[in-house]
Amino acid sequence: MNHTAFFDAVKAGRIAGCYLFEGAEEYIKQQALKSLCARLLPEGLEQMNLTDLTDPAPDALIAAAETLPFLAEKRVVVVRECALLTAGRKSEDEDRAAAFSDYIPRIPPTACVVFYVKGKADGRKKLYTLLKKQNAIVDFSPMNDAECADWCVRALRRMGKRLSGENAARLVFTVGHDAALLRQEMDKLCAYLGEREEIAAEDIDQICTRSTECTVFQMVDAQVAGNNNTAFALLRDMLRSGEDRVGILAMLLRQYRILYHMRCLMDERTPQASQAQLLGIPPFAVGRTQQQARRFDKARLRAAYDFLLDYEYRLKQGRLPQEGCAENALLYLEGILKTHA
């Protein structure tokens, strides 16, 4: 199941005896464990009914799970860094794997065991196969745009604030997909709004820290408008914050690809409602992207895109130095955009 289904199940009281938490979205994974503990452990008795183990021997896990809870329905046993689920370790201890696999189906109804893996578990391991057969795996993969936006709306509702779907997409585009960073920016927004409940687009633009993707969008916006000083200032800000030049170049290539295809869609009179889906951009960004693409004909945007595609290819082949690659790309693009089509 995914994390949304897990939260719904916990809220409804449908709690299994064993789970494997895996995936790259660590913040929501931590919140899921907190939610499970809050549902099962009486207030004030959490420490008496929670056992946290690190790569335990089978006997240690069994002893913890078999210990009866104190004034609670279940005891929660958290197993971290289990070598039987982690890649890059020594070959599996067959006896240990067999002991775990033998006990998992026999976990008593008074216990809930959570195997907590940082990142992705190794799907080749025998214990993973067993947990998968028991439908015990909860996937905490990074959220896509729609999932992030929905999560933000629900989180802010619990915080007493309202966020429209369009502004949720703006928030995700501005901050990025990392749930911990999104939560940090939502806290800032709530503090900024005070008693006001509705979050406006202007609040997001004024308060939230921008992701690299959002900054590259602004950089391209400035460049196509002829504000090259602003574009270079934004690039310098990204480099000072530790962003990788090659990564910036990749996002620059993506943005000019979007501009070229936007111009093609506009020339073909594709309905605006379809453009966001076809280009993979949030709906609120369609209007601004149209303004950017409208400044140049298709041939010139194609020339800019082809240049960046070739530039990145030669860079990855080692034919060009990485040092200064983003700055050089901006300079070349400036020349291409100024050239008459």
Side-chain angles (χ1 to χ4, degrees):
M1 72 181 83
N2 61 21
H3 69 268
T4 303
F6 174 80
F7 280 109
D8 290 342
V10 170
K11 186 177 181 180
R14 301 190 305 272
I15 297 173
C18 186
Y19 295 103
L20 166 60
F21 286 4
E22 66 162 352
E25 186 45 80
E26 296 297 334
Y27 177 80
I28 297 183
K29 195 187 297 180
Q30 293 166 10
Q31 296 305 305
L33 182 59
K34 288 182 181 179
S35 177
L36 180 66
C37 290
R39 183 69 175 77
L40 293 179
L41 307 181
E43 187 176 355
L45 298 175
E46 294 90 350
Q47 294 304 314
M48 300 186 70
N49 292 290
L50 175 64
T51 303
D52 207 313
L53 303 172
T54 300
D55 195 22
D59 289 347
L61 170 62
I62 294 170
E66 294 291 330
T67 301
L68 292 175
F70 180 73
L71 300 178
E73 180 184 352
K74 289 178 181 285
R75 170 176 293 278
V76 177
V77 181
V78 182
V79 179
R80 302 180 190 272
E81 299 180 25
C82 181
L84 297 175
L85 292 167
T86 307
R89 302 292 184 91
K90 295 179 180 179
S91 59
E92 283 191 86
D93 183 328
E94 294 292 338
D95 292 339
R96 188 180 179 208
F100 270 82
S101 298
D102 181 61
Y103 181 69
I104 296 301
R106 298 187 291 105
I107 293 173
T110 54
C112 179
V113 176
V114 179
F115 289 93
Y116 192 104
V117 176
K118 187 174 182 180
K120 187 76 173 170
D122 188 346
R124 300 167 297 178
K125 297 295 180 74
K126 293 179 180 179
L127 181 56
Y128 184 95
T129 302
L130 173 66
L131 293 169
K132 186 175 182 179
K133 287 180 179 178
Q134 296 207 340
N135 296 317
I137 296 176
V138 186
D139 181 24
F140 294 89
S141 296
M143 297 181 288
N144 60 32
D145 288 343
E147 290 170 334
C148 273
D150 181 63
W151 181 75
C152 290
V153 170
R154 289 186 284 109
L156 283 163
R157 188 184 300 129
R158 291 192 295 269
M159 298 162 75
K161 303 299 180 185
R162 295 194 306 271
L163 182 68
S164 68
E166 182 176 350
N167 284 336
R170 179 184 290 271
L171 177 61
V172 172
F173 178 76
T174 301
V175 177
H177 293 76
D178 186 272
L181 291 177
L182 281 167
R183 181 53 192 253
Q184 175 181 298
E185 297 305 313
M186 287 190 284
D187 289 339
K188 285 166 59 178
L189 281 168
C190 290
Y192 174 73
L193 263 64
E195 297 299 319
R196 179 158 58 91
E197 292 185 2
E198 185 72 30
I199 297 174
E202 294 77 17
D203 300 323
I204 296 170
D205 293 341
Q206 186 169 355
I207 295 300
C208 294
T209 302
R210 291 169 175 77
S211 67
T212 303
E213 182 180 1
C214 181
T215 307
V216 169
F217 181 88
Q218 292 179 317
M219 184 174 70
V220 172
D221 190 42
Q223 186 173 50
V224 297
N227 301 324
N228 288 294
N229 288 338
T230 301
F232 275 95
L234 289 167
L235 175 59
R236 285 194 296 271
D237 288 344
M238 284 189 284
L239 294 174
R240 275 197 294 265
S241 67
E243 293 295 336
D244 177 61
R245 284 180 168 85
V246 177
I248 294 172
L249 185 64
M251 283 183 275
L252 193 61
L253 170 62
R254 176 183 180 273
Q255 193 58 35
Y256 271 94
R257 181 173 64 244
I258 289 172
L259 284 181
Y260 167 66
H261 288 299
M262 172 61 84
R263 184 69 212 206
C264 292
L265 293 175
M266 292 167 63
D267 290 350
E268 295 166 5
R269 301 186 182 279
T270 302
Q272 182 168 332
S274 303
Q275 291 174 358
Q277 182 179 4
L278 289 170
L279 296 174
I281 60 176
F284 80 87
V286 169
R288 193 62 185 172
T289 305
Q290 286 178 335
Q291 292 178 28
Q292 293 175 352
R294 196 174 284 119
R295 294 177 181 273
F296 304 100
D297 59 30
K298 187 164 60 177
R300 198 161 351 164
L301 289 174
R302 181 57 191 256
Y305 170 51
D306 285 346
F307 157 71
L308 286 169
L309 194 63
D310 179 67
Y311 193 86
E312 184 185 56
Y313 175 73
R314 288 186 291 152
L315 186 70
K316 290 181 176 179
Q317 279 195 321
R319 293 159 57 189
L320 293 173
Q322 293 188 10
E323 186 66 29
C325 63
E327 297 92 330
N328 289 336
L330 274 188
L331 285 171
Y332 278 111
L333 286 169
E334 181 181 350
I336 291 171
L337 297 178
K338 285 182 178 180
T339 303
H340 293 291

